[in-house]
Amino acid sequence: MINTYIEMVPALLNGAKITIEVLVLSLIFTYIIAFIAGLGKLSKFRAIRVVCTIYIEIFRGTSLLVQLFWIYFVLPFFGIEFSALTAGVIAMSLCYGAYASEVVRGAILSIPKGQTEAAIALNMTPFQRMMKIIIPQAFKIMLPGFGNLSIELMKGTSLVSLITLGDLTYQSLTLRNTNVAHTTEIFVALLVIYFIIALPLIVLARWLERRASLGRV
Amino acid sequence: MSIWSWSYTFEVFPIIFDALWITLAATITAYVLAMVLGLVLAILRRSAFKPLTWIVIGLSEFIRATPPLVQLFFVFYVLPFYGISLSPFVAGTLALGVHYSTYCAEIYRSGIDSVPRGQWEAATSLNFSSTQKWRKIILPQAIPPIIPMLGNYLISMFKDTPILSAITVVETLQAAKIAGSASFRYLEPFTIVGVLFLLLSYPSALLIKKLEVKLNRRSLGKKDKKLKEKGVAA
Amino acid sequence: MLAVRTEEFIGKNAVETANPLVAYKKVSKAFGEVKVIRDLDFNVSPGEKVAIIGPSGSGKTTLIRLLMTLEEPTSGVIEINGEPLWHKEVKGKLVKADEKHLHKMRGQIGMVFQQFNLFPHMTVLRNCTEAPVNVLGMSRKEAEERAKAMLAKVGLENKLDSYPAQLSGGQQQRVAIARALVMRPKVMLFDEPTSALDPELVGEVLDVIREIAEEGEMAMILVTHEMEFAKDVADRIVFTDGGKIVEQGDPKEIFENPKSERLQSFLKRMRS
Ligand SMILES: Nc1ncnc2c1ncn2[C@@H]1O[C@H](COP(=O)(O)OP(=O)(O)OP(=O)(O)O)[C@@H](O)[C@H]1O
Ligand SMILES: [Mg+2]
């Protein structure tokens, strides 16, 4: 039994590398998109608001897997071809970015009006008001939401195995094909590895949640 | 748009639309499981027997932290080794239902925790049994405020059903994939799937938001009334 | 020195009865390190009306919550009609009772809470019939008859179909009293039943309690800050401080001739 696990190590290690790569890249782009779309939905320009709303509702209203397939299998029809890794990162970022943008927007809206008014009274430009007064306060409110979304995103990375990207899940499925007798070991190991990857995110998310509920935001 | 073929669209639409029933059946089956199991988890978590509480918490955290897709494979590929062979549909709804039950449990818990302690004490003072307390006093107060949140999970689960295609359940996405691979055209089938999901989930989300506002207003209304009474009295 | 004197007062004033309905025997209760009730002995006779007074934090609420089985004593025994409440005798030894035993014993006790604790999702009538039907196994019709009689007694026969949120605080507390009465307990506990009420609503609730007290059959333990009312209604006043009974006795004696320093200063503070 120990041997079985040792034989699995190289393949799973490779898979873990890909999973973490997808995870980290998607996290970065998710939160960039979140701020762009979240602020865009609050823009005073109607056109920007409409575009952001359409983006958010489309990506929140359909499935991540459908989006992934669309980007990977359909876009080539328009001459846009991505590697599986790129397609995976794009789909994940767009999907979770849409959810995260709602966290951004909600946090900004929760800042009392008096803060904006005080900033106006100090003759700050709208840009200064946002960057120096509103966002620093709102950011702390966003953090628990971001923590939980990051866990969701981590779990979502497993879907890239379905567009043949060699992540943890994909490697395990391949391993299973050649070692059917060890199916149990393979999937137990897989679940445990995902849990280990999730653990720091969970600890972080719970800590942020607790901090927020204590009012020390 | 010359790339888009309407004739092909009309050809594959009925196939995909038929598979929508499988998607909906899987959603509802898994949802019922998640609601029931979630309630059981939430109640067990409050058990006075601490080891049970810890087991429930640990297991829930583990299930919630690992991908539902992998859990799906686990149920489908591992359980047969222990004499439990399930059809893809049953395995899929089981995995999805169990995964989401841990989320539902958290929602129930928030609802249960918001019932004031005095309600439990009054129920004890009237000598209700433990089961009667849950059924007659606590749950009727805990559940109505969380209905919108539970509704949101229904939509989430609906949008997660495409992963069942990974274990060959022919739901909408899988039907589209099969149709697409036969003709090497994915544009129309996958777009149809996307639009179907959007058409079903977006209005549902709006509906739930409306319900939420209504519930909020009702509970706010009650508070207002009490405040007014106090104000008038003082 | 004070401790010795305290014991003396209790000895003199304690009501000695052969068969008390409720008996606390060397009962203590601690929350973590904090001792809230200390080695307390306390009896209530059938039908007796006892008022408990004392400064905030002296353990009055805890004292009656122990009897309602809402708190478990850290040590000591509480008996109802000679039968241990929290314990069961197994082969001559007292062991912790199970839920079944508690359920049997609770049938003799009722309680009215400071915050009313009506069930907000039930009508007034339903609040008063739910327990008789489910706990006592009465038919709904029978339970409704009994509930209506009790609601009439508290003056709310015309509010049967209202929900608690539609009632004033005083009305809510009267429903809570009716709800507890319907169960016909042998002893009824009141935890500051009027202190969550606006001042002009206190009277209507006190009147109801007085009326019940005058009927006489049911024993009552009443925690209250309404000194005049306590003096009026109670057969005996118990003054607690620091988790102990410092002085107890006839209402007139207690109020007009307090012996312990602590009771004297407490009464002075209450009057000012
Ligand atoms: N659940 C609890 N956990 C910890 N401490 C408690 C708990 N309940 C009561 N206490 C403490 O026990 C002491 C006695 O409380 P209790 O409520 O019995 O006093 P009381 O005489 O009823 O006071 P009041 O007149 O303010 O109602 C207080 O110091 C209180 O802080
Ligand atoms: Mg008290």
Side-chain angles (χ1 to χ4, degrees), chain C residues 185-228:
Chain C
K186 293 207 178 84
V187 55
M188 179 88 103
L189 315 176
F190 294 85
D191 187 9
E192 299 192 28
T194 57
S195 56
L197 297 176
D198 292 320
E200 76 279 13
L201 301 176
V202 168
E204 62 186 62
V205 173
L206 292 184
D207 287 345
V208 165
I209 298 175
R210 189 189 321 260
E211 193 184 322
I212 300 164
E214 277 161 7
E215 279 175 13
E217 313 129 36
M218 187 176 66
M220 286 166 47
I221 306 177
L222 178 75
V223 175
T224 184
H225 286 302
E226 302 284 337
M227 296 299 151
E228 281 309 307

Side-chain angles (χ1 to χ4, degrees), chain B residues 139-154:
Chain B
L139 292 181
Q141 294 182 62
I143 289 180
I146 59 170
I147 287 172
M149 284 192 272
L150 291 174
N152 282 327
Y153 278 117
L154 176 63

Side-chain angles (χ1 to χ4, degrees), chain A residues 57 60-63 65 70 74 77 99 152 154-155 158 176 180 183-184 187 190-191 194-195 202 206, chain B residues 61 64-67 69-70 73 77 81-82 99 103 159 162 173 184-187 191 194 197-198 201-202:
Chain A
E57 296 308 341
R60 289 199 322 155
T62 56
S63 307
L65 190 55
W70 210 89
V74 173
F77 278 82
Y99 285 99
E152 295 302 311
M154 192 287 298
K155 293 190 298 182
S158 64
R176 190 195 84 93
V180 173
T183 304
T184 309
F187 282 109
L190 181 60
L191 284 170
Y194 270 115
F195 186 68
I202 295 175
R206 294 288 174 277
Chain B
E61 284 287 350
R64 222 162 355 143
T66 47
L69 179 65
V70 177
F73 288 140
Y77 291 131
F81 283 92
Y82 302 92
H99 186 82
Y103 286 85
K159 286 183 297 188
L173 185 64
F184 297 103
R185 281 191 72 94
Y186 286 111
L187 170 60
T191 308
F197 269 96
L198 199 59
S201 73
Y202 187 60

Side-chain angles (χ1 to χ4, degrees), chain C residues 13-17 20-22 42-51 186-188 213 216-222 233-238 248-251:
Chain C
N13 292 334
V15 178
E16 300 292 337
T17 25
L21 174 64
V22 175
F42 170 54
N43 287 351
V44 179
S45 310
E48 192 188 8
K49 321 291 182 245
V50 180
K186 293 207 178 84
V187 55
M188 179 88 103
E217 313 129 36
M218 187 176 66
M220 286 166 47
I221 306 177
L222 178 75
V233 167
D235 303 322
R236 174 164 51 121
I237 306 282
V238 170
Q248 59 179 319
D250 181 70

